[in-house]
Amino acid sequence: MDHSNSGTSPTASPEEAALAAVRGDRERIFADLSRLVSFNSVHGQPELAQDAAGAASAVAQLFGELGLDISAHETTDGSTAIIARKEPTGGAPTVLLYCHHDVVAAGDRSLWESDPFELTERDGRWYGRGAADCKGNIAMHLAALRAVQAAGGTDLGLIVLAEGSEEQGGAGLDDLVASSPELTAADAILIADTGNAAVRTPTLTTALRGGAQVTVTVRTIRAAMHSGMFGGAAPDAGFALIKLLNTLRDADGRTVIEGVDTSATWPGEPYPAETFRKDAGILDGVRVLGTGAEHPSDLVWARPAITLTGWTTTPVDEAVNAVPATAQARLNLRVAAGSDPAEIAEKLAEHLKNHAPWGAHVDVEIADVNEGFACDTSRPAVQLLAQCLAEAYGARQCAQIGSGGSIPLTKVLQDAHPDAEIALFGVEEPQSAIHAPNESVDPTEIERIAAAEALFLLRFGR
């Protein structure tokens, strides 16, 4: 990385120079993010392979323009991980900056108010698929590194790790880290794939949930039978599955799994119910789940949760007058950091088999088990990042929250580099609507997070 300056006052401190550089960088940030958003980089879809490759190539070029040494790594799941590197000087420590260049599918284009692959400014926000998750964080890293250059550079070793299949589980990068840990060896690892509790609220994510994918199949009769001749006495597999899934909720909608504690409370800052209602887009008259005595933070950060993410019997547009013989559901299990996701997934499987209605045959398959992660907030790098975040926002302190999401790579990196300090943050916030139509990012969030990261890189190891 070169040691250019930004034309600021010769009396300005490096930190002042970095902050000034970020404040003057919005046009370049928009250009970088526009280029990245233009790629429909969903991993694993052959018809989009050119877009996935294009996103990886753009990431490599953008970081290469900053003077970093670039290497591309084809992983076991067919994705491309980009690693940009600068070696340390004078015995300085190394910092790894993480992001990913793949996205989830845009879905129904009619639900988007603008082209999901053309970054569009509207009412002070920038809209596009990946604008926040996670291409906005790539643009943030670029801005932070330009700011460090403007401040005179750094002796730190730098590794930028840009993954290509995070939204599909990231198994390829997991394998790369496990087989070649030297590629990601660092003293501090900053994972930019979460975000703030709200706009203008500097936030560290201190806990990630683990989880698993669970597929349950119910069979009741050998084949679909005429509903006029057999309906009413023949057990309907669809209704059997509905009845079975209903045993996983109590009267207040809280998750229930036999043999598993589902009563824990979140020890950190609460997630107020009204804020959660707004963030989640809950319709008027529809309740937030729970008794009201708990905070949503208890249900989404501290306890197991089960979401019905897929359902199959007969599609409505193919409906025939027949009693279904088979029904299937995909359940997404999430568990709190520190819990054993494999054990809880097995308990869930036992629960489903033990509650089979009418003697229905129930098969359960468990896949994609991943462990949660808890951040050690007492360690110096984490505390320094919290201070830099607060300073960049002009706040007295940095909030600490959990996340209902999972980033399996976090645990993989922790296992590969047990002495490294790991922190999670990023440009997302509830209004970003990641994974939904009209995903967006507040550009001031990119700027402030970039400023915080630049401050961290100028101060870490001193």
Side-chain angles (χ1 to χ4, degrees), residues 211-214 305-310 330-334 348 370 404:
Q213 302 291 348
V214 178
I306 298 170
T307 302
L308 175 60
T309 58
R330 171 66 58 81
L331 305 178
N332 178 235
L333 170 68
R334 304 280 180 155
L348 172 58
N370 63 89

Side-chain angles (χ1 to χ4, degrees), residues 81-353:
I82 300 298
I83 296 179
R85 182 182 299 273
K86 168 194 169 296
E87 296 300 329
T89 57
T94 293
V95 177
L96 185 148
L97 309 176
Y98 169 84
C99 50
H100 64 84
H101 56 80
D102 66 311
V103 296
V104 298
D108 185 351
R109 301 293 180 90
S110 69
L111 299 177
W112 287 80
E113 295 183 25
S114 53
D115 185 338
F117 303 107
E118 181 178 344
L119 192 66
T120 303
E121 185 166 4
R122 191 165 61 249
D123 299 324
R125 297 184 68 90
W126 296 348
Y127 288 81
R129 174 54 86 224
D133 182 24
C134 175
K135 293 173 178 178
N137 285 305
I138 299 175
M140 180 275 293
H141 286 320
L142 288 163
L145 293 176
R146 285 194 294 269
V148 170
Q149 287 186 344
T154 176
D155 290 335
L156 292 175
L158 295 173
I159 302 170
V160 180
L161 174 61
E163 183 176 6
S165 63
E166 191 275 342
E167 299 293 4
Q168 306 301 322
L173 184 57
D174 292 354
D175 291 342
L176 180 65
V177 173
S179 63
S180 303
E182 71 282 357
L183 293 174
T184 54
D187 300 283
I189 298 174
L190 306 189
I191 296 181
D193 195 18
T194 60
N196 289 340
V199 174
R200 295 182 293 279
T201 302
T203 305
L204 279 179
T205 299
T206 61
L208 297 171
R209 289 199 285 191
Q213 302 291 348
V214 178
T215 302
V216 54
T217 304
V218 172
R219 297 180 177 86
T220 53
I221 51 182
R222 285 192 295 271
M225 303 298 290
H226 192 286
S227 59
M229 298 176 65
F230 299 100
D236 180 322
F239 271 107
L241 182 53
I242 291 169
K243 190 174 179 66
L244 176 59
L245 296 179
N246 196 47
T247 67
L248 298 172
R249 301 276 187 176
D250 68 10
D252 295 299
R254 297 176 298 183
T255 299
V256 175
I257 306 172
E258 284 188 351
V260 177
D261 179 13
T262 57
S263 63
T265 57
W266 172 249
E269 297 181 35
Y271 200 156
E274 285 308 310
T275 304
F276 181 85
R277 168 181 289 279
K278 178 181 177 182
D279 292 346
I282 297 175
L283 300 178
D284 291 344
V286 180
R287 289 176 49 195
V288 176
L289 299 183
T291 63
E294 312 106 329
H295 287 288
S297 44
D298 299 328
L299 279 67
V300 299
W301 299 338
R303 303 179 186 179
I306 298 170
T307 302
L308 175 60
T309 58
W311 171 277
T312 302
T313 51
T314 304
V316 171
D317 60 0
E318 299 175 15
V320 295
N321 294 327
V323 180
T326 303
Q328 189 173 65
R330 171 66 58 81
L331 305 178
N332 178 235
L333 170 68
R334 304 280 180 155
V335 304
S339 301
D340 185 337
E343 179 182 354
I344 294 177
E346 291 293 344
K347 292 287 187 182
L348 172 58
E350 291 176 17
H351 177 116
L352 292 167
K353 293 174 182 177

Side-chain angles (χ1 to χ4, degrees), residues 9-26:
S9 166
T11 61
S13 70
E15 288 86 353
E16 290 170 335
L19 294 174
V22 171
R23 286 194 295 268
D25 205 25
R26 181 174 295 196

